[in-house]
């Protein structure tokens, strides 16, 4: 909502919107609390978090130990799966009631659908996919830095005349605090939306993929393959490699379009944008459209027979050789080190 | 079914190269193209029309040159196209853009379904789709990978998430944003492309769509860009490892352990 200087003072505290899946708090929720605490320390205000879900168990206590001063809990069996309209209704009401100065969500599939809907409804400024946040201790003004143009420009954005100031934050960029089990906080239970409320969609089914290797946004390590993988068998090798080092499997568009691996694995302009700690590119030449999706990874390792490709030049570590020989040797080497 | 597809003209990335100093992508020239995700939205809209009948209307907001991407939409098979254009719209952020597009959709009238690409490749925000749904107060589903069923008044879709997908049923009118997996866009036929070039694309000003001038453009945008800068420079030293596979593997694992990567 657009506010004047007087109205601004009615907006207080920093909120995070926690992400829960099957009663389990997702790591990005703790990362949000980490950055919220840093900002709150400068602004001398409280950190609140909102949990929408079903069967929330010890979620609230866990969020308090990670830095929440107050947890707003809304339980409803319909919140077991992500429901845009229902969650937006609830958040609209909570925002009007408590007036947070800042609201942070996760830049996950859920957050990137829910938070813009909420911003549209309440008329607030929203910055997507932030990688850095700073606050003016006096005015509470939030400086929101985000990559644009596929990570080629860092833009810093503010929303001076509107409250709350809203941002989604990329997973794996902010640091989660060390949990303190002695920390205390207040749990506030709030009502959900009536069963017969209009305009709420029906969730028919939730399907989880069996392979754990698909969750690119939460993986610390991504092993990705391109055209040189040659077929589905090549990706099986990457699957084994990823499993060995606890990573997820990514792919170039060429590999996906050839049907060697599913679209959820695609990294790049028309796939996922990832920010893993380590990205191991296997036989990926590094077309611009692919680099856009992964150039913000902390360490890039490339394996290729051709050391003149853009990916091999971009890499922090470039391994020149046949990946079908190198990867099994790496797995072997890891096994030997474990034995030793 | 009356379907609106929102499309955007974006700078092309195909000509870009890597800056040897910063190891970041540099964008040469300003060739403009249709946002890649919007192709999938257009294709899906046309497929739905082919299945249940109706009309596909392409809608964009941008400079007059954005007519080019609307012509491309027409050549794929959209029936009509409109462009929101005028200096009053300039500088709109995602909130103001959502407002303007929603107003235009109201003017089109009787729209059952709105399709958008997952996001535009320049801003990468993915905010305008949900923003339009919010303004129109209609149901939404983002990252749709498959349309399962279209019935009178409802639409059942699969939307992708980090761990799999959900099957959700929306009441129409509804808005969906689509990912690449949903289809393979058709190549326009020469004949249709020729026809498309002859279709007039009306330009709508803020007055034509009944937009409140205090809700569009830079002045009405809740967010403001205060500065832009290049991203942090990547470590520019590449450590190259070569040699026999077992030897290279040993060096690589050693290096990864030394850097704390494993």
């Amino acid at each position: 909502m657009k506010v004047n200087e007087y109205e601004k003072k009615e907006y207080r505290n920093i909120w995070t919107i926690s992400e829960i899946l099957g009663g389990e708090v997702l790591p990005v929720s703790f990362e949000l609390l980490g950055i919220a605490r840093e900002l709150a320390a400068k602004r001398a205000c409280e950190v609140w978090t909102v949990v929408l879900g079903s069967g929330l168990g010890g979620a609230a206590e866990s969020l308090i130990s990670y830095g929440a001063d107050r947890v707003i809990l809304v339980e409803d069996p319909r919140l077991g799966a992500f429901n845009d309209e229902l969650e937006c209704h609830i958040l609209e009401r909570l925002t009007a009631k408590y007036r947070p100065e800042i609201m942070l969500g996760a830049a996950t599939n859920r957050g990137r659908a829910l938070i813009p809907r909420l911003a549209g409804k309440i008329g607030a400024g929203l910055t997507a996919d932030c990688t850095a946040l700073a606050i003016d201790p006096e005015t509470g003004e939030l400086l929101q830095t985000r990559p644009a143009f596929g990570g080629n420009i860092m833009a810093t954005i503010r929303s001076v005349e509107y409250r709350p100031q809203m941002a989604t934050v990329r997973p794996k960029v902010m640091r989660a605090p060390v949990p303190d089990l002695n920390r205390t906080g207040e749990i506030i239970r709030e009502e959900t939306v009536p069963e017969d409320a209009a305009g709420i969609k029906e969730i028919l089914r939730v399907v989880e993929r069996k392979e754990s290797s698909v969750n690119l946004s939460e993986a610390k390590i991504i092993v990705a393959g391109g055209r040189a993988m040659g077929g589905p068998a090549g990706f099986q090798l990457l699957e084994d490699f990823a499993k060995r080092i606890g990573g997820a499997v990514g792919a170039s568009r060429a590999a996906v379009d050839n049907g060697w691996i599913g679209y959820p694995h695609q990294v790049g302009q028309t796939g996922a944008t990832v920010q893993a700690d380590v990205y191991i590119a296997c036989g990926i030449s590094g077309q611009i459209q692919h680099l856009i999706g992964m150039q913000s990874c902390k360490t890039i390792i490339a394996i290729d027979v051709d050391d003149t490709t853009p990916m091999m030049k971009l890499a922090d570590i470039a391994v020149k050789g046949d990946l079908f020989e190198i990867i099994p040797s790496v797995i072997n080497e890891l096994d030997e080190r474990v034995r030793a | 079914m009356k379907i609106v597809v929102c499309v955007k003209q974006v700078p092309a990335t195909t000509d870009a190269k890597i800056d040897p100093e910063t190891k970041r992508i540099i964008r040469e020239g300003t060739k403009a193209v249709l946002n890649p995700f919007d192709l999938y939205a257009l294709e899906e809209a046309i497929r739905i029309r082919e299945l249940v009948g109706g009309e596909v209307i392409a809608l964009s907001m941008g400079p007059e040159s954005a007519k080019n991407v609307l012509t491309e939409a027409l050549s794929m098979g959209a029936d009509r196209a409109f462009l929101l254009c005028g200096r009053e719209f300039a500088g709109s952020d995602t909130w103001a853009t959502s407002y303007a597009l929603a107003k235009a959709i109201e003017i089109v009238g009787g729209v059952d379904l709105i399709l958008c690409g997952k996001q535009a490749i320049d801003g990468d925000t993915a905010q305008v789709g949900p923003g339009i749904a919010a303004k129109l107060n209609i149901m939404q589903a983002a990252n749709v990978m498959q349309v399962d069923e279209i019935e009178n008044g409802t639409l059942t879709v699969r939307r992708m998430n980090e761990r799999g997908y959900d099957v959700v049923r929306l009441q129409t009118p509804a808005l969906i944003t689509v990912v690449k997996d949903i289809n393979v866009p058709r190549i326009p036929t020469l004949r249709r492309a020729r026809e498309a070039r002859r279709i007039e694309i009306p330009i709508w000003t803020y007055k034509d769509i009944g937009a409140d001038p205090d809700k569009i453009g830079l002045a009405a945008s809740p967010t403001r860009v205060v500065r832009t800068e290049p991203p942090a420079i990547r470590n520019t030293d590449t450590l190259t490892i070569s040699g026999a596979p077992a030897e290279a593997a040993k060096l690589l694992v050693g290096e990864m352990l030394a850097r704390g990567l494993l």
Side-chain angles (χ1 to χ4, degrees):
Chain A
M1 194 187 298
K2 194 164 187 175
V3 290
N4 59 35
E5 288 307 312
Y6 181 74
E7 292 163 328
K8 245 184 221 179
K9 293 187 172 53
E10 294 169 14
Y11 288 80
R12 276 190 211 104
N13 301 322
I14 299 172
W15 280 24
T16 69
I17 311 299
S18 286
E19 298 243 350
I20 306 285
L21 196 82
E24 176 204 349
V25 183
L26 297 184
V28 68
S29 307
F30 301 133
E31 296 163 18
L32 290 175
L33 288 173
I35 180 67
R37 280 246 65 93
E38 281 178 35
L39 298 171
K42 294 206 175 80
R43 180 69 173 147
C45 66
E46 292 181 0
V47 172
W48 293 34
T49 191
V50 182
V51 188
L52 310 175
S54 144
L56 295 172
E61 288 76 9
S62 160
L63 289 160
I64 289 168
S65 73
Y66 276 92
D69 297 310
R70 286 172 219 265
V71 180
I72 299 180
L73 216 55
V74 182
E75 291 201 76
D76 181 337
R78 290 173 297 171
L79 290 168
F82 169 49
N83 194 316
D84 311 61
E85 294 80 28
L86 181 56
E87 297 191 16
C88 188
H89 270 296
I90 297 169
L91 289 173
E92 256 182 273
R93 210 186 51 217
L94 295 177
T95 310
K97 182 171 175 183
Y98 294 106
R99 302 187 181 198
E101 184 170 42
I102 290 170
M103 190 186 278
L104 306 178
T108 53
N109 283 324
R110 170 184 178 252
R112 293 175 104 231
L114 172 64
I115 310 293
R117 184 177 177 97
L118 180 63
K121 285 271 187 186
I122 65 178
L126 168 62
T127 304
D129 300 339
C130 292
T131 55
L133 295 169
I135 197 167
D136 181 324
E138 297 304 316
T139 63
E141 192 176 294
L142 188 67
L143 287 170
Q144 309 154 60
T145 302
R146 73 178 301 264
F149 288 96
N152 293 300
I153 289 177
M154 300 305 287
T156 298
I157 290 162
R158 58 182 194 173
S159 179
V160 180
E161 296 172 319
Y162 295 77
R163 290 293 181 272
Q165 305 167 85
M166 297 173 66
T168 60
V169 177
R170 278 230 181 128
K172 300 198 50 57
V173 175
M174 305 299 177
R175 201 171 296 131
V178 178
D180 173 2
L181 296 173
N182 295 319
R183 240 182 140 269
T184 55
E186 187 192 354
I187 298 172
I188 304 168
R189 287 191 177 266
E190 286 280 350
E191 292 283 304
T192 180
V193 171
E195 282 283 342
D196 55 359
I200 291 166
K201 75 162 75 71
E202 198 184 343
I203 314 266
L204 304 179
R205 208 148 43 94
V206 177
V207 181
E208 272 200 48
R209 286 182 201 277
K210 282 184 208 79
E211 335 90 83
S212 58
S213 63
V214 73
N215 196 337
L216 297 172
S217 66
E218 282 171 33
K220 284 198 172 66
I221 304 184
I222 294 171
V223 181
R227 208 183 287 275
M229 299 317 299
F235 276 92
Q236 190 52 54
L237 175 63
L238 295 190
E239 195 78 42
D240 295 344
F241 185 22
K243 205 167 278 172
R244 185 66 189 72
I245 55 177
V249 177
S252 72
R253 178 173 182 162
V256 171
D257 287 354
N258 276 317
W260 300 342
I261 188 164
Y263 173 69
H265 296 271
Q266 187 184 319
V267 173
Q269 193 167 70
T270 52
T273 300
V274 298
Q275 196 148 7
D277 293 345
V278 187
Y279 192 88
I280 308 181
C282 307
I284 297 179
S285 63
Q287 286 191 4
I288 296 298
Q289 288 82 351
H290 187 77
L291 300 183
I292 281 170
M294 46 64 68
Q295 64 176 348
S296 299
C297 290
K298 286 189 196 93
T299 301
I300 297 169
I301 298 173
I303 306 174
D304 207 320
V305 279
D306 178 0
D307 63 359
T308 64
T309 66
M311 184 66 83
M312 289 288 271
K313 288 186 173 152
L314 175 73
D316 300 286
I317 304 175
V319 183
K320 190 183 178 191
D322 181 348
L323 61 95
F324 290 101
E325 291 174 357
I326 303 276
I327 294 171
S329 302
V330 170
I331 296 172
N332 193 36
E333 175 68 20
L334 290 167
D335 287 341
E336 267 180 31
R337 283 190 191 239
V338 170
R339 273 196 293 274
Chain B
M1 204 171 217
K2 201 165 182 178
I3 308 169
V4 165
V5 184
C6 299
V7 300
K8 186 180 185 187
Q9 186 183 48
V10 296
T13 47
T14 38
D15 304 331
K17 288 188 177 62
I18 298 177
D19 185 318
E21 288 290 311
T22 63
K23 297 210 175 186
R24 291 280 172 174
I25 297 157
I26 37 177
R27 232 173 249 265
E28 307 269 17
T30 51
K31 203 182 129 202
V33 296
L34 176 62
N35 177 44
F37 281 108
D38 301 348
L39 275 175
Y40 303 98
L42 277 165
E43 174 65 32
E44 201 58 27
I46 294 161
R47 286 185 188 194
I48 293 171
R49 182 193 64 197
E50 286 167 351
L51 205 66
V52 301
E55 189 186 19
V56 174
I57 298 150
L59 181 64
S60 190
M61 182 171 117
E64 195 148 357
S65 65
K67 274 188 175 177
N68 291 334
V69 298
L70 287 170
T71 300
E72 197 176 336
L74 291 166
S75 68
M76 272 185 76
D79 302 285
R80 294 191 281 158
F82 297 98
L83 177 66
L84 307 189
C85 185
R87 62 188 155 80
E88 295 83 2
F89 293 117
S92 293
D93 72 355
T94 59
W95 189 91
T97 302
S98 303
Y99 169 77
L101 290 170
K103 292 304 281 185
I105 290 163
E106 283 174 352
I107 291 295
V108 169
V111 174
D112 301 293
L113 182 61
I114 301 149
L115 281 98
C116 302
K118 173 196 169 192
Q119 63 191 42
I121 61 163
D122 49 359
D124 300 320
T125 70
Q127 284 175 186
V128 170
I132 295 170
K135 300 281 179 228
L136 296 173
N137 198 25
I138 59 173
M139 292 190 189
Q140 68 177 46
N143 300 312
V144 170
M145 54 187 268
Q146 191 174 310
V147 174
D148 278 348
E149 210 171 62
I150 302 159
E151 277 181 49
N152 202 13
T154 68
L155 182 78
T156 306
V157 300
R158 291 179 192 200
R159 56 172 187 187
M160 211 175 95
N161 60 40
E162 285 83 356
R163 291 164 194 245
Y165 64 89
D166 303 329
V167 186
V168 301
R169 182 173 293 152
L170 309 168
Q171 285 156 23
T172 56
L175 180 142
I176 62 173
T177 75
V178 306
V179 295
K180 171 190 161 236
D181 208 27
I182 195 166
N183 57 45
V184 178
R186 67 195 64 194
I187 309 288
T189 62
L190 275 175
R191 191 174 144 204
R192 178 62 197 168
R194 251 198 315 269
E195 281 170 13
R197 279 198 295 274
R198 285 198 295 268
I199 299 174
E200 202 202 326
I201 300 171
I203 286 186
W204 283 351
T205 65
Y206 77 95
K207 285 182 187 153
D208 296 322
I209 58 170
D212 178 346
D214 291 335
K215 289 186 174 173
I216 54 169
L218 183 65
S221 293
T223 59
R224 214 47 75 77
V225 176
V226 287
R227 63 169 184 269
T228 59
E229 57 207 336
I233 294 173
R234 287 199 69 87
N235 169 28
T236 48
D237 303 322
T238 299
L239 172 74
T240 304
I241 294 173
S242 56
E247 223 25 65
K250 192 166 281 185
L251 286 169
L252 175 62
V253 171
E255 193 59 35
M256 287 179 79
L257 287 168
R259 295 186 190 200
L261 305 180
L262 285 172

